Amino acid sequence: MGRPVLRTELCDLLGIEYPVILAGMGPVAGGLTGPVATAPLVAAVSNAGGLGVIGGAGFSAERLREEIRKVRSLTDKPFGVDLLLPSNYMGGAAGGEMPRDPRELIPAAAREGLKRIVEELGVPWQEMPREPAAEPRRPRTGGMSDEQMEVVIEEKVPVFASGLGSPAPWLDRLKANGTKVLALVGNVKNAKRVAAAGVDIVVAQGTEAGGHTGRVATMALVPQVVDAVAPTPVVAAGGIADGRGIVAALALGAIGVWCGTAFLVSEEANQPALQKQRILAATDEDTRVTRLYSGKTMRNITNPLIEAWEAAGIQALPMGLQGLLIQDLVYSCRQAGREDLLMNAAGQISGMLNRIRPAADILHDMVAQAAQILARDLPARVTAVPES
């Protein structure tokens, strides 16, 4: 048998064979190995007929440029870059003159609270060795991804996805390059905001998703976003790991899917074996949303540190500052061999995953199952009665 045919409007918009987009997954496990979605995984998904997306948030500007060029050396298919554009980065401090050492912005009570929790878990607190503080700088727009965005524009990347926040300030320059722009949202309000700004595709991500996520479930969110932003097309995300999820997304009005957790356990995913195995061992109830690791709500495989942090009721700092706060935590856990306490982003769909295999196999099985459901299974089970 030949390859299954499963085409939607998304395929024509992005120049891909199948309506499946790899989530641009950034660092996990405390950044032990950098982003998950690096060139090997991105190229594997694109070569298999989907759209691979680089998790650019874990790269410096020049490393991102290298990764973009590496992807181009591995595939001639379209691909994308995902960056985070949070509106309250560093608590707003990044819009002005930064102190020489941004850690000066971290309240002592927050640091002491985290230190106490870590030591109660049997991990000796150790401060990470510091590089000499750089000269203070004033970011151009006060965002965390300004320098990387310049690289995306200079490299004329085919697709850009904002994993957090609105890409509105960059839209004119991106579209001048012919770049298709996606924006991830977790509610109808933000969907309307990015659609009005002029993005090409809205990605409606339900709370089931791993990593940064919102509060509304995929089944409820997607049709509301579809109705709210029409005629802007919508891609569904959150809790989609097989062909059944693709079919459900299409039934809700989406034109394709954005998938992360399913590819976290691919051979090409750039993350430690421990993190992959914890996802494979997880059940449907083994994830938890926490602000511990970034300051934003993020779904992770739960662990004793997350449980203790949440129980303590410590207020998370804004994104950027929270990342600085946990640097010593990450260092302490690594030194103590407790990588199990580090960030292990994954969605509720983890309970469906049971083996590590090539990304192309994951994608092709999803597409084949979806095609069979649409072409054979549903028509055999459903009788449509015309109106009299």
Side-chain angles (χ1 to χ4, degrees):
M1 295 180 62
R3 288 161 69 101
V5 176
L6 184 67
R7 291 192 65 82
T8 71
E9 178 187 350
L10 182 66
C11 301
D12 298 324
L13 276 172
L14 302 182
I16 56 181
E17 185 176 2
Y18 300 126
V20 178
I21 304 174
L22 168 71
M25 297 173 287
V28 298
L32 281 171
T33 58
V36 173
T38 56
L41 177 57
V42 173
V45 171
S46 288
N47 285 330
L51 183 84
V53 179
I54 299 170
F59 287 129
S60 67
E62 285 311 306
R63 272 291 292 114
L64 177 59
R65 191 187 306 278
E66 292 172 6
E67 205 68 16
I68 290 169
R69 293 178 178 180
K70 184 174 181 181
V71 170
R72 285 188 165 130
S73 74
L74 296 173
T75 183
D76 59 358
K77 306 292 186 181
F79 68 96
V81 170
D82 181 300
L83 292 172
L84 306 180
L85 308 174
S87 59
N88 190 35
Y89 182 62
M90 300 290 282
E97 195 71 33
M98 292 286 289
R100 186 175 298 274
D101 186 348
R103 290 172 298 163
E104 296 174 10
L105 299 172
I106 298 173
R111 187 180 299 278
E112 289 304 312
L114 181 59
K115 178 181 178 181
R116 182 177 63 255
I117 290 172
V118 170
E119 290 181 339
E120 287 175 354
L121 291 172
V123 177
W125 184 264
Q126 300 185 56
E127 290 195 0
M128 184 179 73
R130 313 290 181 181
E131 296 291 333
E135 288 297 315
R137 61 186 181 89
R138 184 189 299 272
R140 193 172 67 82
T141 65
M144 70 173 285
S145 299
D146 292 358
E147 294 176 356
Q148 291 93 331
M149 284 300 304
E150 294 293 345
V151 170
V152 168
I153 291 168
E154 290 168 8
E155 292 292 323
K156 297 184 179 181
V157 171
V159 178
F160 171 72
S162 59
L164 278 176
S166 173
W170 306 93
L171 276 174
D172 288 346
R173 297 176 67 197
L174 288 165
K175 292 197 170 188
N177 282 343
T179 298
K180 298 296 184 182
V181 182
L182 288 64
L184 273 71
V185 300
N187 57 43
V188 171
K189 177 182 70 175
N190 284 324
K192 289 180 176 179
R193 180 167 64 102
V194 297
V199 301
D200 297 290
I201 299 168
V202 175
V203 181
Q205 178 176 277
T207 188
E208 299 96 318
H212 291 116
T213 193
R215 297 182 297 275
V216 185
T218 304
M219 184 71 76
L221 178 65
V222 173
Q224 293 184 68
V225 170
V226 168
D227 292 347
V229 305
T232 303
V234 174
V235 163
I240 301 168
D242 66 3
R244 293 172 294 182
I246 295 176
V247 173
L250 298 180
L252 294 173
I255 64 170
V257 296
W258 168 279
C259 298
T261 303
F263 292 101
L264 280 172
V265 293
S266 65
E267 290 179 357
E268 298 88 347
N270 181 43
Q271 67 167 336
L274 172 63
Q275 272 63 40
K276 291 184 181 182
Q277 291 301 324
R278 294 190 73 224
I279 293 169
L280 293 175
T283 70
D284 56 328
E285 294 187 302
D286 285 336
T287 65
R288 179 161 184 170
V289 175
T290 182
R291 294 180 184 267
L292 168 61
Y293 295 111
S294 79
K296 296 282 189 181
T297 51
M298 176 187 288
R299 185 175 295 281
N300 280 259
I301 302 294
T302 195
N303 62 52
L305 176 60
I306 293 175
E307 300 299 330
W309 164 271
E310 296 295 335
I314 298 175
Q315 183 75 27
L317 302 176
M319 191 173 194
L321 288 180
Q322 185 73 12
L324 290 174
L325 171 63
I326 68 164
Q327 284 182 346
D328 292 333
L329 157 70
V330 171
Y331 182 75
S332 299
C333 289
R334 287 179 181 174
Q335 295 300 111
R338 293 297 305 275
E339 282 80 7
D340 59 301
L341 299 180
L342 299 178
M343 182 173 69
N344 199 165
Q348 290 180 320
I349 209 73
S350 297
M352 285 178 55
L353 307 175
N354 52 37
R355 59 194 170 114
I356 296 172
R357 54 198 179 120
D361 291 356
I362 295 170
L363 189 149
H364 289 155
D365 283 355
M366 292 175 66
V367 169
Q369 185 184 30
Q372 178 171 315
I373 292 170
L374 291 168
R376 301 179 187 175
D377 297 352
L378 282 180
R381 294 167 57 191
V382 177
T383 300
V385 179
E387 294 181 4
S388 58

